């Protein structure tokens, strides 16, 4: 996200709005893909056959890695929403 923001800032010749728009787009895309991956992994039926499931369960007793992926994706989307709100306040 930072690399895209800085490169967009440089390419747009110092336009902060363009850099924030690029960062927002990357956050929304990454968060959406993460939620899709989390949903697909939750819907899979072969949980007991997965080797990493047992490894994760040894380390973390409360959350499965599927829930952790979903929570991280929601957090990424919230950061995108914060940037979107910032852009809205700067435009009005």
């Amino acid at each position: 996200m930072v690399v895209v923001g800085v490169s967009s800032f440089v390419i747009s010749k110092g336009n902060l709005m363009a850099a924030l728009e690029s960062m927002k787009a990357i956050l929304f895309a990454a968060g959406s893909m993460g939620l899709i991956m989390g949903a697909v992994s939750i819907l899979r039926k072969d949980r007991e056959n997965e080797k990493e499931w047992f490894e994760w369960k040894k380390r973390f007793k409360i959350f499965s890695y599927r829930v952790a992926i979903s929570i991280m994706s929601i957090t990424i989307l919230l950061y995108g929403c914060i940037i979107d709100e910032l852009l809205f306040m700067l435009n009005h």
Side-chain angles (χ1 to χ4, degrees):
M1 176 194 76
V2 174
V3 171
V4 169
V6 169
S7 62
S8 175
F9 188 74
V10 170
I11 290 172
S12 67
K13 298 176 183 159
N15 187 357
L16 181 63
M17 298 300 233
L20 287 175
E21 285 286 341
S22 298
M23 291 168 64
K24 178 185 78 165
I26 290 296
L27 287 171
F28 282 160
S32 299
M33 285 188 289
L35 278 179
I36 290 170
M37 285 180 4
V40 167
S41 68
I42 287 172
L43 292 175
R44 287 182 43 197
K45 301 282 185 197
D46 58 348
R47 286 188 189 161
E48 292 80 20
N49 297 335
E50 294 179 355
K51 184 171 64 174
E52 60 266 359
W53 170 254
F54 295 117
E55 185 67 32
W56 183 278
K57 205 62 171 158
K58 280 193 262 181
R59 293 182 186 201
F60 302 101
K61 306 242 185 280
I62 297 173
F63 291 121
S64 70
Y65 68 93
R66 293 167 170 88
V67 174
I69 289 172
S70 299
I71 290 172
M72 287 187 291
S73 299
I74 290 170
T75 304
I76 290 170
L77 286 172
L78 286 175
Y79 284 131
C81 289
I82 290 169
I83 291 177
D84 189 42
E85 184 65 28
L86 180 66
L87 284 168
F88 180 76
M89 289 190 307
L90 290 175
N91 284 332
H92 287 91

